[in-house]
Amino acid sequence: MYTLLKSLFYILFVTVFRTQSSGAENLPKEGGVLVAANHMSNLDPPLLATFLPRPLSYMAKQELFEVPLLGAIIRAAHAFPVKRGKSDRAAIKAAVTALKEGRCVGIFPEGTRSADGKRRAAEAGVALLAAMTGVPVLPAAISGTERVLHGALFPQLHIVYGTPMLFQGERGNKADLEAFSNAVMDAVYALKAGVEDR
């Protein structure tokens, strides 16, 4: 199912949205990886995954799993539920397990969508997962999805993947965790600015 969905989204993104992608070769070929990106639209999760050579798993809000067809689709896409607005130990445990099993996990460190595309404060999740597992974080920038149905029906989309980053601080140090989350988002938005300045 994952391969079928990825193929369908590839056709959609390339033919309808004329998507340009770069940097996918920066994804480590094996081992656990966190792929961290900005978030503006429901199109972002499939866009982030479609152009990567390895399957990408996601935390998805619990409510989505309760929608009959959508729930089945996101389960087939290796998603696992997270309760928004509170610390969900089960979701963190599931993400840690996936990463330690050598899987790629997608995460949106800002925690929610930014409809206007502007940066929001990063939450601690990306740093916490990187600290707990020792896996690299691959920053990725998405551009254009905030304009779908808002100002442009089929805007051109861009997805660019940066270079892996490793958490170097202390796992129990709140300042270190916050600094790393911010550094990841600095990298994401630097990539985004580079795309939009072309």
Side-chain angles (χ1 to χ4, degrees), residues 127 130-131 134-137 164-171 173 176-177 179-181 183:
V135 304
V137 176
M165 304 171 65
L166 285 172
F167 178 74
Q168 303 287 354
E170 295 182 14
R171 172 176 161 180
N173 188 307
D176 286 350
L177 292 171
F180 184 72
S181 289

Side-chain angles (χ1 to χ4, degrees), residues 21-90:
S21 168
S22 63
E25 69 278 3
N26 293 329
L27 181 73
K29 292 181 172 56
E30 58 184 22
V33 183
L34 271 168
V35 183
N38 57 310
H39 190 19
M40 303 173 292
S41 162
N42 288 332
L43 283 175
D44 295 339
L47 177 60
L48 188 62
T50 293
F51 295 92
L52 288 174
R54 297 173 58 189
L56 192 62
S57 299
Y58 282 106
M59 292 186 197
K61 61 182 180 181
Q62 177 72 46
E63 295 84 351
L64 295 179
F65 289 82
E66 298 166 7
V67 180
L69 180 58
L70 180 60
I73 291 173
I74 61 177
R75 282 188 180 88
H78 309 302
F80 47 92
V82 60
K83 295 176 182 176
R84 293 201 304 173
K86 60 178 69 176
S87 177
D88 189 334
R89 293 184 180 181

